[in-house]
Amino acid sequence: MLESGSHRSELSQGRAHTMNTSFSEKFFERSKRVSPGGVHSPVRAFKGVGGVPRFIEKAQGVCLTDVDGNSYTDFCLSWGPLILGHQDPEVLAAVEQALHKGWTYGTVEPLSLELAELITSSLPWVEKIRFVNSGTEAVMAALRVARAATGRDLILKFDGCYHGHCDSMLVRAGSGLAEMAAPDSAGVSRAVAGESLVVSLNHLAALDQIFAQRGKEIAAVIVEPVPANNGLLTQKPEFFEKLSQLTKSHGVLLIFDEVITGFRVGFGGMAERTGIRPDLVTYGKIIGGGFPVGAYGGRADLMDLVAPQGPVYQAGTLSANPIAMTAGLATLKKLKREMPYQKLEEKTERMSCAIEKAVLRQTDLKFHIQRNASIFWPVFGSEEVREISQIPAIQKEMYARVFHSLLDQGIYLAPSGFEVSFLSTAHEDQHLDSLVQAFQGVFS
Ligand SMILES: *Cc1c(COP(=O)(O)O)cnc(C)c1O
């Protein structure tokens, strides 16, 4: 683990570290006394980049302000949900109004109906939908439905894809039996891990092989259609064609985990962009407009297996919370009306090219930015990364140094070399220029 401060040397040499972070430091010390690692979700602790995580007091547009009064242009955007930036005026107005009507009823209400109708009428592969409180919950429920529908127990996932923290997904490739998974977290039983199969991304032959061996035992394949939780791992179109074909021919359900990509790479996410129709799909992040919402949906015959219609139990005290539904609805309505996707993609492309140029002009480091729509990932290597094993060995250390130099210059990227960053509609040219200039500043 990098020591706090050590990575600030060298690259940003000559430019004094001017930010005062004394309140963040104090808060972090206090936090560590009362919460594990001082955080409520691991990456927030800055372990991957070292240093003290900044306690944020407020945010507006693309600007984060910390408790010491420092401000940062935000490219992390709460890990993806804020495609409209912080406090989008339309979302804010809707939420403010909704609050005065009450914030949870524990009954049926019209807001979730409206959001469900908006989604099912726009995305043909979502015939029915159920709202939950997080992406993790959505995945957990979708897997349960898949097992119920097929009467099979095995789930196949890919090494390099993240699907939240439910037990059966916290697994990695095991060393024993071919592709049999091993727990990837303490507290996950071998029995549960043993019901998952893990295959490396980008290995079509391995996929053929495992389907030939175990195809009839697999309930579902779950995949991030743009793997964006271990860097941004670019997949070839053949990969998805192969998946679609193998799942169909073996009676296996195909689950697209679109928690990041849904409403991000296009309104219809990757199901729309690939033209592949998943049997089930999971959403999160943008769907709640920055409030805690997840959803799973898909074929009506599968969704009708869910209680009270069918035998698959799944429930939630605060599910379809009216404030969260309101934020999701306001966000999705604005996205559907403005369709900002092409513009976002062009901006990301232009910015990435400018950063690459700025870096390569000044150093002989190998460097490029992998991108997909408005998701981007700086990589300290020159080859396209398609699977975890191709991530350059120096990624963690180099990213940590660059991250801190950028942070000192008022830029907030995702605080880990294995996490992606995002653009929002609130980023204007001046903000993108400031990132390009900050990258220039790192190496000058
Ligand atoms: C973020 C994410 C999850 C987990 O969602 P939470 O809301 O954090 O539980 C699952 N799958 C993917 C692809 C994600 O990006």
Side-chain angles (χ1 to χ4, degrees):
M1 200 54 55
L2 284 159
E3 291 305 316
S4 151
S6 64
H7 37 73
R8 285 206 197 97
S9 54
E10 226 176 295
L11 284 175
S12 51
Q13 226 169 29
R15 195 181 39 251
H17 170 62
T18 48
M19 269 181 194
N20 176 9
T21 56
S22 55
F23 277 112
S24 278
E25 285 162 39
K26 280 186 199 126
F27 282 145
F28 195 43
E29 283 313 308
R30 278 169 56 191
S31 231
K32 283 192 276 196
R33 272 178 238 135
V34 290
S35 295
V39 292
H40 301 278
S41 191
V43 215
R44 296 181 195 174
F46 274 34
K47 286 250 178 188
V49 290
V52 178
R54 305 300 152 87
F55 279 70
I56 300 303
E57 186 169 86
K58 57 184 180 182
Q60 168 79 61
V62 296
C63 182
L64 287 175
T65 305
D66 72 16
V67 289
D68 290 286
N70 304 304
S71 57
Y72 310 88
T73 305
D74 186 10
F75 292 91
C76 183
L77 295 165
S78 194
W79 308 94
L82 298 173
I83 192 168
L84 304 176
H86 297 273
Q87 292 199 53
D88 174 80
E90 273 184 54
V91 180
L92 178 62
V95 166
E96 274 179 344
Q97 259 195 345
L99 271 171
H100 289 286
K101 296 181 176 173
W103 44 82
T104 181
Y105 314 124
T107 65
V108 288
E109 35 59 53
L111 292 160
S112 54
L113 169 60
E114 201 184 334
L115 186 55
E117 284 179 344
L118 172 67
I119 293 168
T120 54
S121 65
S122 314
L123 315 180
W125 55 93
V126 186
E127 294 170 353
K128 287 197 172 179
I129 190 164
R130 168 67 64 86
F131 295 114
V132 294
N133 301 292
S134 69
T136 295
E137 247 191 273
V139 165
M140 192 174 72
L143 298 178
R144 190 176 299 146
V145 169
R147 289 188 165 114
T150 57
R152 304 171 180 180
D153 286 339
L154 294 180
I155 305 289
L156 188 150
K157 83 175 281 284
F158 295 92
D159 214 9
C161 287
Y162 174 71
H163 302 290
H165 65 87
C166 81
D167 284 20
S168 68
M169 294 291 99
L170 285 183
V171 294
R172 57 183 157 75
S175 50
L177 272 176
E179 279 87 25
M180 232 29 208
D184 199 24
S185 160
V188 171
S189 72
R190 269 165 308 188
V192 167
E195 290 185 339
S196 300
L197 301 170
V198 181
V199 178
S200 177
L201 283 165
N202 193 39
H203 285 224
L204 300 192
L207 208 52
D208 273 324
Q209 197 186 350
I210 198 146
F211 266 87
Q213 286 169 358
R214 315 288 303 266
K216 294 287 180 233
E217 300 164 69
I218 302 174
V221 171
I222 186 165
V223 64
E224 271 188 272
V226 177
N229 278 287
N230 286 278
L232 190 68
L233 307 173
T234 311
Q235 299 307 300
K236 297 174 185 156
E238 301 94 275
F239 176 68
F240 294 103
E241 281 152 29
K242 166 78 68 186
L243 261 188
S244 171
Q245 173 220 322
L246 282 173
T247 48
K248 270 204 191 86
S249 60
H250 289 80
V252 173
L253 300 181
L254 180 58
I255 305 176
F256 271 10
D257 180 355
E258 300 233 39
V259 170
I260 282 193
T261 49
F263 315 102
R264 162 66 63 182
V265 302
F267 194 80
M270 283 301 281
E272 180 179 72
R273 289 187 71 148
T274 59
I276 289 171
R277 194 177 175 124
D279 299 292
L280 290 167
V281 61
T282 54
Y283 296 111
K285 300 197 169 105
I286 291 175
I287 203 174
F291 284 76
V293 181
Y296 63 106
R299 278 167 41 193
D301 63 311
L302 298 175
M303 292 305 292
D304 280 340
L305 293 172
V306 177
Q309 185 77 27
V312 176
Y313 192 71
Q314 184 272 308
T317 302
L318 294 176
S319 287
N321 171 265
I323 308 303
M325 291 291 106
T326 299
L329 205 46
T331 301
L332 264 47
K333 275 185 182 166
K334 185 166 180 180
L335 289 172
K336 199 173 177 194
R337 190 181 70 235
E338 300 197 341
M339 281 295 165
Y341 297 104
Q342 196 179 340
K343 222 165 137 192
L344 275 172
E345 187 157 351
E346 285 163 7
K347 275 197 219 173
T348 310
E349 183 68 17
R350 239 184 303 126
M351 182 192 76
S352 301
C353 290
I355 293 171
E356 286 172 348
K357 236 191 229 157
V359 172
L360 296 175
R361 206 167 36 223
Q362 296 187 71
T363 71
D364 38 16
L365 273 176
K366 293 189 168 117
F367 176 82
H368 73 287
I369 294 188
Q370 290 195 195
R371 51 213 180 245
N372 190 314
S374 51
I375 312 172
F376 66 98
W377 181 48
V379 186
F380 294 89
S382 43
E383 304 294 319
E384 189 78 7
V385 178
R386 300 184 187 280
E387 52 187 284
I388 298 181
S389 63
Q390 296 169 342
I391 297 176
I394 58 164
Q395 175 71 8
K396 182 177 172 178
E397 193 199 333
M398 284 305 303
Y399 186 93
R401 293 173 170 206
V402 169
F403 170 84
H404 275 288
S405 171
L406 294 175
L407 193 66
D408 284 350
Q409 300 179 69
I411 300 281
Y412 197 96
L413 287 190
S416 160
F418 307 100
E419 298 282 355
V420 297
S421 292
F422 300 92
L423 284 200
S424 71
T425 56
H427 285 97
E428 291 171 13
D429 286 346
Q430 70 197 78
H431 303 118
L432 310 186
D433 291 345
S434 74
L435 181 59
V436 177
Q437 270 160 24
F439 262 98
Q440 216 144 18
V442 173
F443 299 97
S444 65

